[in-house]
Amino acid sequence: MKKGLFCIWFLVLLALPAAAAGQVSVQVEGGYTSEYGVDIPFARSPRAQDYIFALYGGGTATGVPEVQARVRIMEDGEVSVHLPLRYDFAEPGTWTLAVTAQVQSGRGGLDRARTVEHTFELPPTCGCAAGTEGAFYAGEGTAASPFLVASPQQLQHINDSRHLESGQYFLQVSDLDCSVYDNWIAVGSGQPFRGVYDGGGRRIKNLTMTGSATYCGVFGQLGGATIQNLGVDASCSFNLEQGLIGGGIVAQSSRGDNQIRQCFSEADIRILDTQGNTVRMGGILGNSEGGELTLQNCYSSATLTVGDVQHIHLGGILGYRSGNDAALTGNYFDGVLRPGSATCFAQGGILGYLTSSGPSKFAANYWSSASGAAHGVGTDVYGNVGVNTGCPPLSAQQMGTQAGYAGFDFERIWRWDGTKGRPVLRVFDQEETVG
């Protein structure tokens, strides 16, 4: 009587590929590859060393498998079998694993091949419970393996304290349509974000904020964080009846080393603030108090509107800055400033109000002379009005030619877009990533 060979496996885990153990050989069929995949803990049958592993999308092992591999296991005990797998990083879904034990040479009359199936859902890689909205399903949150952000829910999930506080890394892998949220809650509204968010040259679309919010932006507060390679397109809008701080990318930065690099925003910002408070607003960053700040190679084409309030600090790139340790280089603003009336008023084409002796580096920043600003830096705490050093205005003709942007790196960072008639960032030229 032929005996059916058997096999055992345990919890299936998402993982990056690792060097295979010398006693495990995996030959994936059809040239199938993926940067990500699953690790399958497995114990072989004492009477079989050759297996076929196949992964099927859905709850049954029917149709054509997504990936199939021939696996040879030369040692007893539990081993890990890695299979590459292309899956949706936002909703990986249900999968069925089918493992078929092959009859060894010389045992054809004693054993028979046997297939065992196991249906499972891929678990989050971020430590969150299965089923958590916006949980991450790829990456480990490190510089070498950032959490992959493939949905607006995953971007919003960064608001979980475990992700805000721990210095984790995130990489956006697709444009995000945020219309699923009627009213966006800025990431880091309750406590500062302290990690690294790389937009990957992708865009935020259809994001809307209305009503009342202290922090208005894709990100609310940074407390020693980096935001880079992120775009916010013109389909987004920030329209608050009541608010204090607004930025096209980030509302506020404070303690620690904060960096915003190679970002753009085309989203209009409007804060009326009927209670008459101080409003600080910038096309990229609204308010920066203390800590180190690097704001480099960014641009805004937004219309920035503030209602009648007590104090207005309004800048095409940055609304307000206190502290000396700052560098603003290679930025431009070609939008419009629309301030209401105020008791204390400061607006600048680049920076609205500066309460220090000046940034440690302030160079190659440009703004449109038609923006409504009179100077690059509106006012500083020493009463200096009309600062244009490192931030000269450009006429419409100058803004429409590459020669107007002296100091911009058009070889590596920027590209002149003849259709738009302005510089654009090269990082946004890439195609969509497939999982």
Side-chain angles (χ1 to χ4, degrees):
M1 175 179 174
K2 295 183 180 180
K3 295 182 179 180
L5 300 171
F6 64 90
C7 46
I8 302 171
W9 61 82
F10 304 92
L11 178 66
V12 180
L13 299 173
L14 289 165
L16 291 167
Q23 300 299 316
V24 179
S25 171
V26 179
Q27 296 182 352
V28 180
E29 298 180 356
Y32 185 97
T33 61
S34 177
E35 184 179 354
Y36 293 86
V38 293
D39 281 344
I40 305 166
F42 184 81
R44 73 170 195 173
S45 164
R47 303 192 309 279
Q49 63 182 22
D50 294 317
Y51 297 84
I52 295 177
F53 279 59
L55 276 173
Y56 298 80
T60 60
T62 57
V64 178
E66 172 68 18
V67 58
Q68 182 167 292
R70 294 185 176 274
V71 178
R72 171 165 287 186
I73 302 172
M74 302 297 293
E75 64 179 275
D76 295 329
E78 183 179 320
V79 297
S80 180
V81 177
H82 182 85
L83 295 183
L85 182 63
R86 302 170 194 157
Y87 60 93
D88 187 331
F89 296 139
E91 298 180 0
T94 300
W95 295 86
T96 296
L97 172 66
V99 178
T100 302
Q102 303 294 289
V103 178
Q104 288 186 212
S105 177
R107 295 191 60 86
L110 301 174
D111 296 329
R112 58 182 173 83
R114 181 186 175 193
T115 299
V116 181
E117 299 179 6
H118 173 60
T119 299
F120 61 93
E121 291 186 356
L122 296 175
T125 61
C126 58
C128 295
T132 300
E133 184 177 58
F136 301 107
Y137 289 92
E140 300 170 344
T142 65
S145 177
F147 289 129
L148 300 190
V149 179
S151 72
Q153 291 88 347
Q154 289 177 321
L155 177 57
Q156 186 59 229
H157 181 59
I158 300 175
N159 265 322
D160 188 304
S161 60
R162 78 177 68 197
H163 299 309
L164 288 174
E165 297 175 347
S166 54
Q168 294 174 341
Y169 289 73
F170 304 86
L171 174 63
Q172 186 173 319
V173 295
S174 62
D175 291 347
L176 302 184
D177 183 349
C178 294
S179 61
V180 294
Y181 292 100
D182 293 332
N183 197 2
W184 181 254
I185 300 174
V187 175
S189 293
Q191 61 190 83
F193 173 63
R194 304 183 189 280
V196 174
Y197 190 89
D198 188 338
R202 315 297 177 184
R203 294 164 172 80
I204 304 294
K205 299 182 177 182
N206 299 313
L207 183 150
T208 301
M209 286 189 73
T210 60
S212 176
T214 300
Y215 303 106
C216 175
V218 178
F219 288 83
Q221 304 174 83
L222 305 185
T226 295
I227 310 295
Q228 61 190 17
N229 306 324
L230 180 64
V232 177
D233 79 6
S235 66
C236 301
S237 68
F238 304 96
N239 190 357
L240 300 186
E241 295 298 317
Q242 177 67 30
L244 297 177
I245 301 169
I249 302 292
V250 178
Q252 174 171 284
S253 72
S254 56
R255 303 172 299 277
D257 180 6
N258 295 287
Q259 302 185 38
I260 304 174
R261 300 191 299 257
Q262 291 182 230
C263 295
F264 76 83
S265 178
E266 299 168 341
D268 293 343
I269 308 175
R270 178 174 174 266
I271 299 179
L272 296 183
D273 194 78
T274 56
Q275 295 184 6
N277 294 307
T278 297
V279 172
R280 294 172 177 172
M281 182 189 296
I284 299 295
L285 173 62
N287 183 46
S288 178
E289 297 191 68
E292 302 174 28
L293 174 66
T294 299
L295 216 168
Q296 184 178 37
N297 297 323
C298 296
Y299 70 91
S300 170
S301 301
T303 296
L304 309 178
T305 303
V306 181
D308 298 336
V309 297
Q310 185 175 2
H311 301 280
I312 294 176
H313 303 142
L314 179 62
I317 298 296
L318 171 60
Y320 177 98
R321 168 64 186 174
S322 65
N324 295 325
D325 200 357
L328 277 73
T329 59
N331 307 292
Y332 77 88
F333 175 64
D334 64 351
V336 178
L337 304 177
R338 292 180 176 172
S341 63
T343 304
C344 178
F345 172 83
Q347 73 167 359
I350 297 296
L351 172 57
Y353 193 82
L354 178 64
T355 64
S356 67
S357 58
S360 57
K361 188 175 183 181
F362 201 48
N365 301 289
Y366 301 99
W367 52 281
S368 168
S369 60
S371 65
H375 309 288
V377 177
T379 308
D380 68 26
V381 74
Y382 301 100
N384 298 315
V385 179
V387 177
N388 283 330
T389 303
C391 53
L394 298 182
S395 66
Q397 181 179 2
Q398 290 172 315
M399 293 209 78
T401 61
Q402 181 174 328
Y405 299 84
F408 274 32
D409 185 347
F410 281 100
E411 294 297 322
R412 298 177 303 165
I413 305 298
W414 297 94
R415 173 178 62 80
W416 184 258
D417 189 317
T419 301
K420 295 181 178 180
R422 67 182 186 188
V424 294
L425 292 162
R426 290 182 178 272
V427 70
F428 293 94
D429 290 342
Q430 61 189 306
E431 296 180 356
E432 194 82 352
T433 294
V434 178

